[in-house]
């Protein structure tokens, strides 16, 4: 039973790493597509037409990141998070909960950054405002950070299931 759990965790980690890397690359490519659009800068204000390519790439990055996060939570969530056992205060369980909190913070930041980029590239929006620089690229980099925390969360959670 433990061996099957470890194999599932390893396969899930590889899948999550691949999905987060794909989301990160999509976010960085969305930033590159957004930078190809010509803009007019007047002091702090920037007038830029929305980029359909940047919109599509950023939306795909957000969806892939969301699926990777869902998978990490499904695989990582186990009976160790239930406070019914006498050892619910063990160090493994505390680390598991802390890594889960960090995982949620990182995904919120990544989706927020990607969301700002998506909103700024909606077709119907072509107005002048303060410049939104590199939000898509930062969102892409946050996807890579998400993969790190997801793997740590899954590893610690599986170790916590074996903690006495």
């Amino acid at each position: 039973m433990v061996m099957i759990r470890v194999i599932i965790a390893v396969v899930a980690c590889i899948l999550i790493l691949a999905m987060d890397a794909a989301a990160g690359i999509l976010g960085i490519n969305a930033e590159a597509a957004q930078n190809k659009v010509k803009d007019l800068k007047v002091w702090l204000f920037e007038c830029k037409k929305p980029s359909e390519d940047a919109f599509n790439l950023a939306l795909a990055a957000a969806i892939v990141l969301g699926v990777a996060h869902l998978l990490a939570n499904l695989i990582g969530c186990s009976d160790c998070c239930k406070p019914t056992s006498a050892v619910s205060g063990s160090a493994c369980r505390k680390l598991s909960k802390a890594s889960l909190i960090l995982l949620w913070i990182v995904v919120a930041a990544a989706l927020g950054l990607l969301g700002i980029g998506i909103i700024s590239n909606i077709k119907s929006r072509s107005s002048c405002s303060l410049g939104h620089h590199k939000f898509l690229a930062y969102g892409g980099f946050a996807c890579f950070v998400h993969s790190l925390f997801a793997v740590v969360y899954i590893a610690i959670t599986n170790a916590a299931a074996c903690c006495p």
Side-chain angles (χ1 to χ4, degrees), residues 92-132:
C92 289
R93 296 178 200 284
K94 289 178 183 176
L95 283 173
S96 176
K97 290 177 183 177
S99 62
L100 178 63
I101 291 169
L102 289 173
L103 182 68
W104 275 94
I105 291 170
V106 170
V107 80
L111 288 175
L113 291 167
L114 290 171
I116 290 171
I118 290 169
I119 290 171
S120 67
N121 283 300
I122 291 177
K123 239 183 208 185
S124 63
R125 182 180 176 154
S126 62
S127 63
C128 298
S129 64
L130 291 175
H132 296 291

Side-chain angles (χ1 to χ4, degrees), residues 71-163:
L71 181 63
N73 279 298
L74 288 176
I75 298 298
C77 187
S78 67
D79 59 347
C80 73
C81 295
K82 296 178 184 173
T84 58
S85 66
V87 291
S88 63
S90 72
C92 289
R93 296 178 200 284
K94 289 178 183 176
L95 283 173
S96 176
K97 290 177 183 177
S99 62
L100 178 63
I101 291 169
L102 289 173
L103 182 68
W104 275 94
I105 291 170
V106 170
V107 80
L111 288 175
L113 291 167
L114 290 171
I116 290 171
I118 290 169
I119 290 171
S120 67
N121 283 300
I122 291 177
K123 239 183 208 185
S124 63
R125 182 180 176 154
S126 62
S127 63
C128 298
S129 64
L130 291 175
H132 296 291
H133 297 290
K134 301 189 190 232
F135 283 118
L136 292 170
Y138 293 147
F141 292 133
C143 291
F144 292 112
V145 174
H146 179 267
S147 67
L148 172 74
F149 283 113
V151 169
V152 167
Y153 171 62
I154 291 171
I156 290 174
T157 301
N158 283 305
C162 302
C163 283

Side-chain angles (χ1 to χ4, degrees), residues 2-57:
V2 174
M3 188 63 164
I4 293 172
R5 183 181 182 124
V6 170
I7 291 171
I8 290 172
V10 168
V11 170
C13 286
I14 292 170
L15 186 60
I16 290 168
L17 283 171
M19 289 177 19
D20 279 337
I25 291 168
L26 285 170
I28 293 168
N29 286 340
E31 180 70 34
Q34 185 178 23
N35 289 337
K36 289 180 183 177
V37 176
K38 293 185 179 184
D39 59 342
L40 172 69
K41 290 183 182 179
V42 180
W43 293 332
L44 294 175
F45 295 101
E46 183 175 272
C47 300
K48 185 181 271 193
K49 293 181 181 178
S51 170
E52 186 175 348
D53 290 338
F55 175 81
N56 292 333
L57 289 169

